[in-house]
Amino acid sequence: MARRTFLAQLASLPFLSFSMKAQESKKPLKVMMKSAWGPDDPTRAAFPFAHGLALAEAGHQVQIFLLAEATSLMRKSMATAILPVGWPPLSETLEKVVAKHIPIFS
C-alpha cells in the first residue's frame, strides 16, 4: 500500500512530465542506410528501402547507399523480381521511396 502511494506521488512530480516533453521535441535524425545485399537474399536486399521509408515517414532525413551486389537492384527488371519474405515487393517499396524523394546512391 505504501509503495503505491509513493509511486503515485512520483508520477505527479513536475520533472517527470518535463522529461516526457523533452522527448517529444527532438530534432529529426539524418540517417544513411547502407547495404551490399543483392538478389541472392531478397529479404535482406529490401531492408534498406523498407526501413528507410519508415524512417522518412517518421520525419527523419534518409539517404540510401548501395554497394557491390546491391547496385543491381536499381534495374527495373531486378526490382520487380525481388519478393522479400514478410514484406511488400521491392518494386512497391521502391515506388514509395521515389515518391518521398529519398536519394539513392549506388
Side-chain angles (χ1 to χ4, degrees):
M1 187 66 126
R3 214 180 290 172
R4 286 185 188 176
T5 57
F6 176 72
L7 291 175
Q9 291 172 349
L10 271 181
S12 66
L13 290 175
F15 67 86
L16 289 178
S17 62
F18 174 73
S19 66
M20 297 294 260
K21 290 179 186 174
Q23 288 179 352
E24 293 174 5
S25 64
K26 286 188 175 181
K27 294 187 336 184
L29 299 174
K30 293 182 179 181
V31 180
M32 178 175 276
M33 308 291 296
K34 178 190 74 85
S35 177
W37 293 100
D40 56 335
D41 193 347
T43 304
R44 287 186 178 162
F47 279 167
F49 301 100
H51 294 158
L53 181 62
L55 287 167
E57 288 174 348
H60 301 292
Q61 294 179 5
V62 180
Q63 296 178 347
I64 299 174
F65 184 73
L66 304 176
L67 53 122
E69 301 269 333
T71 57
S72 66
L73 299 174
M74 291 295 90
R75 302 186 84 176
K76 188 171 185 165
S77 61
M78 186 63 73
T80 57
I82 301 294
L83 301 170
V85 177
W87 295 85
L90 181 61
S91 57
E92 289 180 17
T93 307
L94 202 51
E95 288 175 9
K96 293 177 184 177
V97 165
V98 170
K100 279 277 193 190
H101 302 289
I102 298 173
I104 301 172
F105 302 100
S106 57

